[in-house]
Amino acid sequence: MSEENEIEKHSFAPAHAAQAGAVLKGDQCILISPSGRFSRKIDLNTVFPSREASSPGLFQRDRRGKIPSIPTGFRTDSRKLMSAVGIHRAHQAGICGSQQAGIVFSIAMSGEYTDNKDLGEMITYTGSGGKEGQKGPHTHDQTLEGRNLLLAKCCPVPVNSQIGGDAGDNWRRGVPIRVVRGAKMRLLSDKSFGPAEGYRYDGIYKIQMYWPTRGKDGHKVWQFRLQRDDRSPAPWTPEGQAWTARHCRVFRDQHNEKRIWYWSNARRIIEALHPDPAYGTPQGHSEYTEAMRKIDQEETIGSDIESLTTEAKRAVYVPDGNRVYETILGDSINRRIWRRLLNYEYQVSTGIHDYMSFIEVALTQPEFMCLLCNRSNRRRATKRYRDDLTVPLVRFASLHCLRCDYNVCLQCVEPFYSSGVKSCPNCLAEGAFERNKTLLRVYQAMEIEGSLRKQR
């Protein structure tokens, strides 16, 4: 097979898939609108490489609390893969935190500490240290230092290294901690809340109290009581098991390889996404007639949901059973983009097979990247985007171009509007913008940070 055909077969969005979006051709990328009626080339050689260029994932490494793209119940067959997706970065340590941030991001329970008690909604978790290595009995006392001190700082009371602390009814004010359970937890009790295999993310917990005590091996240990504070159904309940079975296939090495491949291509394209060079100049506009507008309106805001539900019937994965799918069906102005995401061939080519992969691919579509946000980060080695994001995801307060389906933040485009520039930064169509009225509901259903703030 020739190199060109190989690129086409394994591109970010292969040309044979419905409404391709972006096709890699060596050092160039062809941006193709969902309608197929507009395209332009961008040069990938002009990209200023960022530190995120080789890193998969929508959010920064040190994100605290929930990672919106990864649902409660997410399962892997190894600790290594739980680290790869960002739920619990530490490969061996049970406590993953940051001295710089001064908090713990996640803990993993794998059955190594016999002093642990797991009641599902409530956990008594034993701190780190006191052992010669990772396994075996305690040989000396634990201290409230290092990772143990970081855990104590997550409890919403002043740190007390002598007797500990108790937040009482105020425990929900504490730092949100992601909790992972391993299958070995089943060895500790007849009634285990651990998964049948591998590791499982069980949601957000917060520290209610912590205290020193004498452990089963006769040495001092620090213990921390965590209470679950997560709206998602617990994965060990019937409701949670049904959700997990539908939306969280066990994440294995082959899924991780596909994910790395997707993100490496997606990063190359996203970092090269900038406005057309003519944007903002006297030549930076193209004609957009009423006849063109009528056709685009009929395919978007004037269309029905049948085109989506037809694709969904043969899709590899559909995020149904929750508000995400409902809001996608209602987001008519972006309907051509969602049709691509539900297309069977496109899902196979990009590795969509569960909730996480669907959300990651959806929120890295070129049409959802604000070209103007990206331009402001063009020369930075460390890109800075809103809400811990690693991509220039358009804000829900945005404008949508009917001709090419690109979205642009309202606050980014307003200065250009004020100076008389009313064309799209991607296709340069003048007068093609419509206000995004339904993207907010999609973001809220996906629990994207910026849109949730509007509700509070």
Side-chain angles (χ1 to χ4, degrees):
M1 180 179 290
S2 69
E3 182 180 356
E4 182 173 331
N5 288 338
E6 188 68 19
I7 290 172
E8 186 138 324
K9 181 179 178 183
H10 297 290
S11 66
F12 173 67
H16 64 263
Q19 305 91 33
V23 177
L24 289 171
K25 294 283 188 179
D27 291 329
Q28 284 192 327
C29 173
I30 305 172
L31 303 178
I32 305 172
S33 69
S35 69
R37 292 189 286 271
F38 171 81
S39 66
R40 75 177 173 108
K41 292 182 180 180
I42 55 175
D43 189 352
L44 302 180
N45 282 328
T46 61
V47 173
F48 189 82
S50 72
R51 295 176 182 174
E52 294 86 8
S54 60
S55 178
L58 286 167
F59 297 93
Q60 300 287 346
R61 289 180 58 87
D62 288 346
R63 180 180 172 86
R64 58 181 272 177
K66 182 177 177 62
I67 300 176
S69 54
I70 306 178
T72 299
F74 180 82
R75 299 172 293 167
T76 68
D77 62 1
S78 68
R79 278 278 291 270
K80 176 189 72 174
L81 294 179
M82 197 61 79
S83 172
V85 300
I87 288 292
H88 185 73
R89 294 284 184 185
H91 285 265
Q92 291 186 323
I95 303 172
C96 179
S98 165
Q99 294 292 343
Q100 182 178 1
I103 59 170
V104 166
F105 303 118
S106 60
I107 63 171
M109 301 176 65
S110 302
E112 287 88 352
Y113 287 87
T114 56
D115 292 305
N116 287 348
K117 295 179 182 177
D118 187 3
L119 301 178
E121 295 285 337
M122 184 180 74
I123 297 168
T124 300
Y125 185 80
T126 305
S128 66
K131 292 185 176 185
E132 300 295 337
Q134 292 288 324
K135 299 181 180 180
H138 285 94
T139 58
H140 54 279
D141 290 349
Q142 290 184 352
T143 59
L144 197 65
E145 299 174 338
R147 288 189 286 263
N148 292 343
L149 179 58
L150 291 180
L151 269 178
K153 289 180 177 179
C154 293
C155 186
V157 293
V159 173
N160 188 314
S161 60
Q162 300 300 314
I163 63 173
D166 186 350
D169 294 337
N170 295 322
W171 62 272
R172 283 191 170 87
R173 298 179 182 176
V175 174
I177 298 173
R178 300 185 293 269
V179 169
V180 173
R181 286 181 172 88
K184 290 183 180 179
M185 292 297 295
R186 289 175 173 263
L187 301 177
L188 299 181
S189 172
D190 293 335
K191 181 174 176 55
S192 172
F193 298 92
E197 65 168 311
Y199 294 84
R200 186 186 65 213
Y201 166 55
D202 286 352
I204 295 298
Y205 286 68
K206 294 176 181 176
I207 295 178
Q208 180 186 37
M209 60 186 297
Y210 65 99
W211 65 95
T213 188
R214 191 65 55 185
K216 292 181 180 179
D217 296 324
H219 293 278
K220 178 182 176 181
V221 295
W222 279 91
Q223 295 200 307
F224 303 82
R225 179 180 294 169
L226 293 93
Q227 297 272 17
R228 193 167 189 270
D229 189 22
D230 199 302
R231 291 178 297 177
S232 303
W236 56 84
T237 65
E239 185 182 1
Q241 289 174 348
W243 163 267
T244 299
R246 175 71 185 89
H247 301 283
C248 305
R249 289 174 55 186
V250 177
F251 190 72
R252 306 188 187 276
D253 283 332
Q254 62 266 32
H255 301 127
N256 191 48
E257 291 171 4
K258 186 74 172 183
R259 180 174 183 257
I260 292 172
W261 168 86
Y262 173 82
W263 273 101
S264 65
N265 285 321
R267 290 271 188 228
R268 289 184 69 200
I269 296 169
I270 290 171
E271 295 196 359
L273 282 175
H274 298 290
D276 186 289
Y279 180 67
T281 70
Q283 297 77 32
H285 60 87
S286 63
E287 185 181 19
Y288 188 63
T289 66
E290 281 301 317
M292 296 166 69
R293 171 180 284 274
K294 183 178 180 181
I295 292 172
D296 287 325
Q297 286 179 331
E298 288 174 351
E299 294 179 1
T300 55
I301 54 181
S303 64
D304 56 37
I305 65 172
E306 186 177 355
S307 60
L308 289 184
T309 56
T310 299
E311 291 285 2
K313 289 176 182 177
R314 57 190 294 269
V316 176
Y317 172 79
V318 178
D320 52 7
N322 61 21
R323 289 184 59 245
V324 172
Y325 187 50
E326 294 174 7
T327 57
I328 286 173
L329 292 178
D331 186 23
S332 59
I333 202 167
N334 292 296
R335 184 152 290 160
R336 292 185 293 208
I337 305 171
W338 297 118
R339 189 183 307 143
R340 174 200 302 154
L341 284 156
L342 292 172
N343 176 264
Y344 173 83
E345 288 80 14
Y346 183 78
Q347 290 194 348
V348 170
S349 72
T350 54
I352 293 176
H353 69 282
D354 65 356
Y355 186 86
M356 181 185 75
S357 55
F358 182 89
I359 298 298
E360 288 192 342
V361 174
L363 298 186
T364 48
Q365 292 301 293
E367 294 86 355
F368 288 136
M369 302 295 103
C370 178
L371 304 185
L372 298 178
C373 282
N374 219 24
R375 184 167 71 172
S376 66
N377 279 277
R378 188 167 193 167
R379 296 292 177 183
R380 293 178 180 172
T382 301
K383 312 295 185 186
R384 302 202 178 276
Y385 302 115
R386 62 185 179 89
D387 302 323
D388 295 332
L389 286 161
T390 64
V391 297
L393 182 67
V394 69
R395 291 171 172 83
F396 61 86
S398 56
L399 297 179
H400 177 94
C401 175
L402 288 174
R403 185 187 183 205
C404 68
D405 281 321
Y406 271 64
N407 296 276
V408 60
C409 298
L410 193 58
Q411 71 178 51
C412 291
V413 82
E414 276 179 343
F416 292 91
Y417 254 56
S418 299
S419 63
V421 177
K422 298 185 179 181
S423 56
C424 169
N426 180 53
C427 69
L428 303 181
E430 193 166 53
F433 277 137
E434 289 280 348
R435 185 71 180 260
N436 246 326
K437 297 180 179 179
T438 49
L439 190 59
L440 170 61
R441 298 190 187 97
V442 177
Y443 281 3
Q444 287 174 337
M446 293 180 179
E447 300 188 11
I448 300 301
E449 200 77 20
S451 61
L452 287 179
R453 245 181 240 130
K454 189 175 180 69
Q455 301 179 84
R456 294 177 184 144

